[in-house]
Structures are given as structure tokens and as C-alpha cells.
Amino acid sequence: MQAEFWRDFPILQEQIQGEPLVYLDNAATSQKPQMVLDALNQYYRTSNANVHRGVHSLAERATIAYEIARDKVADFIGANRKEIIFTKGATAGLNIVATWAERLLKPGDEVLISIMEHHANLIPWQQVCQRTGAKLVYVYLKDGQLDLADLKTKLNANTKFVSIAHVSNVLGCVNPVKEIADLAHQVGAYLVLDAAQSVGHIALNVADLACDFMVFSGHKMYAPTGIGVLYGRKSLLEQLPPVEFGGEMIASVSEQDASWAELPYKFEAGTPPIAEAIGLGAAIDYLNQIGLSKVTAHEANLIAYLLPKLQQIDGLTLYGPKDRQNRLGVFSFNLEGLHPHDVATALDYQGIAVRAGHHCAQPLMTYLGTNATVRASLACYNTKADCDRLISGIQATKEFFNGLI
Ligand code: 7TS
């Protein structure tokens, strides 16, 4: 019996090019369940006001709903509510951490990242290193996943930050975060975790992962766009100066000076994405209602089903780990002789949504010796039937183009 989570997502009823939609671009963004759509509607219909300022009843409703969303996030990742900063998304969170890092880093210091990082966890560090004279050091791959031995040789007393993806948005591999965090801490470095591709798929507990900072985006875990989370260990966030300045983030202001509000508000300047945060709370409710472990198990079944089928296709090069251990549902591949954009367009003609391109990981593409890949990525609402449609879609694409060549 297959889990029928797809019933909860109205957009999955859409027809694309006359075919029922098979949505396999979840690593880019996920679809939204009715519960999240209802929460947004309900908020705007009954509670819309600005937060943390009004004394009127609607303002109080909005503030309570916004702060309840923060509590839900804190519970979801095993953190304290003061450690949850609402941001625009994973990118914004990483930029905040990098801005702070810029104050600490000196020439000769090192920042260790991996070659599989999304540009969001790469360019902020490049910029910071260029400005401070610190060195950006890369860990490379072995067997399609992170080479831990390489990481160990590159960690040293100069390493001040290790910033790493939990799950690669191209390779699908799950990195051994706890082990990396322990190694980083042994040399006195901070561990920054980019959980953009793991959130909503596997459990995230900041204590178990031993990370100092963690970022993710709501929109990849069934919540709206425009909302994300920066988690930081309280003792660190207390030392960290604000990055943006303005309303909401102050304790008091005089003509020439200001003092900062307590955590987490000192990092939330201006009117926050209120509805979006409430939507994120609803997405967490949705996952809790199903049970995240059921989602993980359902996706693991799909991975076990799809991986060998992809590997059996003649002329298909699959990137990332060869076996399903340490893999989540992100499958990047190329078909011999075909451009990834042509493959994605041919799949779209069959109602199948996948992404093609460099996936904001150009150094990884160069390392893999390609310009681009096709990427199919799973979420809780996908089914074995979707996997079958992808496989037959790829076969049909091959036949179509072979007929032209
Ligand atoms: N980190 C990883 C690992 C990601 O996959 C992404 C987005 C980000 C950070 C940035 O998230 P944002 O919400 O701030 O943009 N990844 C993708 C992708 O693979 N295709 O589209 C967006």
C-alpha cells in the first residue's frame, strides 16, 4: 500500500501538456499542501496586522500566531525559541553567518567547504575570504560523495569555519554531519550546516547534529517562499552583532546610538514575513501530523525503487553515490549525446517536471566534467507510478532523439 500524501496537494491535479503532472523538481521547491494554503488564507482573512507593535486585537493575534510558528520550528529541530531567527531563506541565513565570520577571520585563517556546495554556501565564503585574506579550502569527492579522509587532512588549527551541505542538491548524498562537527570542534572551528536539502525529508536535531549554525528554507519543506530559518547556538548568537538595522531589532535608540533587542529579535529588522512564517508553522504541523519518520520511510522506498531502474538505462550516467545508503531522493544524470535542457523539455512534453542546468553548483559541475545535468528530485507526495512515468519518459526521450539523429 503506497502512502497517498499526494491527495493533500491540490496542484498535483494539474494537467501539463495534456498529461497528469508528475512533479519531480522538489529540490528546487516543493508544492504546498491544503493545510498550508488554508493557514495563509485564514491568516489574511482573520488576523492580518503587523507584529510586535500594535496594542489592538488583530496585532495581538498576528503576533501570537507568528511567535507560535517560531515555537513550532524550535520543537521541530530541537532548539530553543531564542535560537530561531526567521530569514528570507537558506541564502539569507548563510549570508548572515558569513558577515559575522568576516569580523573574525584574519589572513592565514581557513574556511573549509566542499566542492558539492550550492552557490549559497560558496559565494558568501568566497567574498569573505577575498576581503579578509583568509583561504577558502575545498574538500573533494570519493565514489560520488564527500571524501571524509580528504576533509580530515584539510582540517587544521587554521580552520575557523567548516560550512557544509547536509545533503547535496546535485549528488543526493547525505554527509556525516555529526562526525564532521566533532572533527571541526576538535580544531576549534565552527560547524555551519546547510540543511536546505535535508529539511522535511529526514529528522534534524541540532543537538544530535552538533552544529553551531544551521540554515534552511521553508519553501523546500512544503511552506511558502520568502521564509527560512537561521538556527544559531544561543551563546554564539549572543556575541553576534546584528547584520541589518532598523525597526523591530532595537531595545532603545537615541540621536547618536542604539542598543539591541534580545534574541532572536535583534536579527529580525523590519516587518518580518508574517504570513510566510505562519505558513511554515502549518507545514511543520502537516509533517508532524503524518510523522516525519513515515515521510522518510516512504521516500526511502521510492529511492530503492527508482535508483536501480535509472542505473539500468543504457547510456545514462548517474552522478552521486552508487548505492542507496547515504542517499536522499535527488538524482542527477545525463543521457549520452543529449543536452540536459533537451531532455528536460522532452520530459515536460510528457507532463514530467525536472530541472536541467548547473543547479547553482558550477564548481561541482566543473569537477564532474560536465556543464549541466538533468535532475529528478522526490518529495513525500511522489509515488512509484511517478517513478515509472520518469523511467518511461526517459526511454521515450531517447527513442525520440535517436530517431532524429
Ligand atoms: N543550499 C542548498 C543545498 C540548496 O539546494 C539551495 C537551493 C540553497 C542552499 C538555497 O536556497 P534558497 O531557498 O535560499 O534559494 N537549491 C535549489 C536547487 O537545487 N534548485 O533550485 C534551488
Side-chain angles (χ1 to χ4, degrees):
M1 175 64 187
Q2 279 202 39
E4 297 200 329
F5 306 126
W6 57 270
R7 291 186 192 282
D8 302 329
F9 293 78
I11 202 171
L12 299 177
Q13 306 303 323
E14 286 295 300
Q15 300 268 314
I16 302 291
Q17 315 269 9
E19 300 284 344
L21 166 65
V22 172
Y23 186 77
L24 293 171
D25 193 17
N26 294 289
T29 197
S30 65
Q31 300 303 347
K32 320 303 172 200
Q34 188 65 50
M35 257 177 81
V36 169
L37 304 180
D38 287 346
L40 293 174
N41 199 354
Q42 171 86 356
Y43 167 72
Y44 281 121
R45 287 176 68 112
T46 67
S47 311
N48 178 51
N50 211 327
V51 292
H52 301 143
R53 55 194 83 190
V55 290
H56 61 78
S57 298
L58 274 190
E60 199 165 315
R61 269 190 213 170
T63 302
I64 289 170
Y66 178 71
E67 291 304 329
I68 287 176
R70 194 189 309 275
D71 289 331
K72 289 176 185 174
V73 173
D75 284 350
F76 189 63
I77 62 169
N80 180 303
R81 69 185 322 280
K82 286 182 186 290
E83 298 173 319
I84 303 300
I85 297 156
F86 283 130
T87 64
K88 194 155 62 76
T91 303
L94 288 163
N95 275 277
I96 293 174
V97 178
T99 303
W100 180 59
E102 188 169 343
R103 293 184 164 221
L104 299 184
L105 291 169
K106 301 188 173 47
D109 287 343
E110 295 182 5
V111 174
L112 190 58
I113 66 172
S114 86
I115 194 69
M116 71 179 81
E117 299 312 314
H118 185 281
H119 294 164
N121 194 27
L122 191 162
I123 303 171
W125 295 114
Q126 270 184 356
Q127 289 292 309
V128 164
C129 287
Q130 284 172 16
R131 285 198 289 262
T132 59
K135 195 169 156 200
L136 187 58
V137 180
Y138 284 83
V139 179
Y140 296 98
L141 308 182
K142 189 172 177 225
D143 302 329
Q145 53 197 314
L146 192 83
D147 183 351
L148 202 58
D150 190 34
L151 183 138
K152 285 178 188 165
T153 62
K154 286 176 175 163
L155 259 181
N156 64 70
N158 295 326
T159 314
K160 296 292 178 282
F161 287 86
V162 178
S163 194
I164 208 105
H166 195 182
V167 171
S168 160
N169 69 320
V170 174
L171 306 168
C173 55
V174 185
N175 291 323
V177 177
K178 170 74 167 78
E179 204 175 337
I180 297 170
D182 290 346
L183 290 165
H185 293 152
Q186 276 166 27
V187 298
Y190 296 113
L191 193 281
V192 184
L193 182 63
D194 175 359
Q197 291 296 341
S198 52
V199 71
H201 300 284
I202 51 175
L204 294 180
N205 180 292
V206 289
D208 292 349
L209 293 165
C211 51
D212 299 298
F213 297 95
M214 180 169 86
V215 302
F216 59 87
S217 299
H219 70 91
K220 294 188 204 281
M221 55 166 292
Y222 313 117
T225 50
I227 184 75
V229 172
L230 164 62
Y231 156 83
R233 257 197 304 122
K234 192 159 151 273
S235 54
L236 289 174
L237 290 181
E238 273 161 355
Q239 298 167 35
L240 234 144
V243 172
E244 284 190 327
F245 301 89
E248 289 271 303
M249 51 75 68
I250 50 90
S252 75
V253 186
S254 63
E255 276 196 24
Q256 299 299 330
D257 208 1
S259 61
W260 315 136
E262 59 179 23
L263 285 177
Y265 306 109
K266 80 171 174 184
F267 294 105
E268 293 184 3
T271 299
I274 305 165
E276 291 78 1
I278 292 167
L280 174 59
I284 291 173
D285 288 344
Y286 177 73
L287 285 167
N288 286 338
Q289 189 177 294
I290 296 171
L292 186 58
S293 58
K294 272 201 190 150
V295 169
T296 307
H298 172 68
E299 291 182 11
N301 274 335
L302 295 180
I303 294 161
Y305 184 73
L306 184 56
L307 183 61
K309 286 188 190 296
L310 285 169
Q311 285 165 329
Q312 277 155 24
I313 295 176
D314 229 24
L316 185 147
T317 303
L318 184 67
Y319 301 94
K322 295 271 171 292
D323 51 39
R324 65 191 160 91
Q325 277 74 39
N326 296 330
R327 221 186 204 287
L328 287 193
V330 176
F331 302 93
S332 288
F333 60 89
N334 270 316
L335 292 177
E336 202 180 341
L338 299 185
H339 194 284
H341 282 133
D342 290 337
V343 176
T345 304
L347 289 170
D348 183 57
Y349 280 137
Q350 303 168 72
I352 304 164
V354 296
R355 185 175 168 189
H358 55 61
H359 313 294
C360 301
Q362 283 188 354
L364 175 61
M365 293 294 126
T366 305
Y367 181 82
L368 295 173
T370 185
N371 290 325
T373 75
V374 186
R375 182 186 67 187
S377 50
L378 303 172
C380 74
Y381 38 72
N382 290 121
T383 61
K384 285 187 178 169
D386 291 347
C387 298
D388 291 339
R389 287 267 309 275
L390 175 66
I391 297 297
S392 58
I394 293 172
Q395 299 288 13
T397 301
K398 278 179 57 181
E399 279 159 30
F400 174 76
F401 283 108
N402 284 340
L404 292 181
I405 295 164

